[in-house]
Amino acid sequence: MSRKRILLIAAGALLVVILLAIYLFIKPTRQVSINFDRDNLSATISRRSSKSINKVADINNSSTLRLADGNYTIKTFSKNNVIKENTTNFTVKDKDTTVNIRTEYSQAFITSEVNKYRKNIESVLFAKYPTLKTSYIFRQETLSGKNAEWYAAAYQEKAQAKNSGDSYIVIMKKNGNSWDIKNRPQIVNTIYNTSNIPENILEDANKLSYF
């Protein structure tokens, strides 16, 4: 084999080694869009491996950034503990990706916010459905929506002979400083029997059945 041919083979092998090193140490990144379901949220993004968890970025509100392929965790929180801390795992691999973060209000925020309007809520609700006050037991309540404008409460029928008491859910929506009833109290709320209410609000309301 000629000296020139040997040099060409050696140069080709060296180029392959250099390109492999570049790939290993300068890995390609993907565009990752983080979308929150409400405003004024912050989050810490960490990369997970079998050996460690390393923080890679802090973000405020919905953001777009570039991340290398891998497994990640995003921990979402808010000022004044308005929402429950939320941890979401996601994977970046071979292409750009979008991560939608859905959060829930904290119990402390729900209680504080509902108490501002409780008299109005109960006045409207019991005026239309007085048996909720006399024949049912209030169990729990929640707030949903980007601006906490949706309210839902679960009332359980008082137990009677051969009846353990079903739970009924009523949904209301804030209208200025008052609240409007948006459904009749029922055991399960779906897009078919309450088509005027967004599906994500129905999902949050139906969780009240599991107390």
Side-chain angles (χ1 to χ4, degrees), residues 80-95:
N80 303 321
N81 297 317
V82 172
I83 68 160
K84 297 178 182 178
E85 285 196 355
N86 175 294
T87 300
T88 302
N89 296 326
F90 66 95
T91 299
V92 178
K93 185 177 181 181
D94 299 333
K95 61 182 180 180

Side-chain angles (χ1 to χ4, degrees), residues 36 41-43 74-78 83-86 101 103:
F36 295 120
L41 298 184
S42 301
I74 178 167
K75 186 176 182 179
T76 306
F77 52 92
S78 65
I83 68 160
K84 297 178 182 178
E85 285 196 355
N86 175 294
I101 305 296
T103 58

Side-chain angles (χ1 to χ4, degrees), residues 108-174:
F109 173 79
I110 291 172
T111 300
S112 174
E113 194 70 11
V114 171
N115 282 342
K116 297 177 185 178
Y117 305 98
R118 190 170 299 283
K119 287 185 178 179
N120 178 268
I121 289 173
E122 292 182 348
S123 175
V124 172
L125 186 57
F126 296 151
K128 187 168 184 178
Y129 298 109
T131 55
L132 285 180
K133 188 174 183 179
T134 58
S135 303
Y136 292 76
I137 302 170
F138 169 79
R139 287 303 185 186
Q140 58 180 336
E141 60 195 355
T142 192
L143 289 174
S144 303
K146 191 172 184 179
N147 299 301
E149 71 275 23
W150 289 92
Y151 169 84
Y155 286 82
Q156 187 177 18
E157 190 175 11
K158 292 180 179 179
Q160 300 175 3
K162 298 182 180 181
N163 182 359
S164 59
D166 290 323
S167 180
Y168 290 78
I169 297 169
V170 62
I171 302 173
M172 305 176 73
K173 187 177 183 183
K174 188 178 179 183

Side-chain angles (χ1 to χ4, degrees), residues 57-75:
D58 290 317
I59 61 174
N60 293 304
N61 296 313
S62 297
S63 304
T64 299
L65 63 163
R66 299 197 70 85
L67 297 173
D69 287 0
N71 297 315
Y72 294 86
T73 294
I74 178 167
K75 186 176 182 179

Side-chain angles (χ1 to χ4, degrees), residues 141-210:
E141 60 195 355
T142 192
L143 289 174
S144 303
K146 191 172 184 179
N147 299 301
E149 71 275 23
W150 289 92
Y151 169 84
Y155 286 82
Q156 187 177 18
E157 190 175 11
K158 292 180 179 179
Q160 300 175 3
K162 298 182 180 181
N163 182 359
S164 59
D166 290 323
S167 180
Y168 290 78
I169 297 169
V170 62
I171 302 173
M172 305 176 73
K173 187 177 183 183
K174 188 178 179 183
N175 181 12
N177 288 321
S178 63
W179 293 79
D180 298 331
I181 299 172
K182 306 302 290 187
N183 75 323
R184 60 182 177 82
Q186 49 196 5
I187 297 174
V188 178
N189 296 274
T190 71
I191 57 174
Y192 302 105
N193 61 18
T194 46
S195 59
N196 60 322
I197 301 175
E199 187 172 6
N200 63 309
I201 304 301
L202 296 176
E203 291 175 358
D204 289 341
N206 287 331
K207 291 177 184 177
L208 297 177
S209 295
Y210 309 101

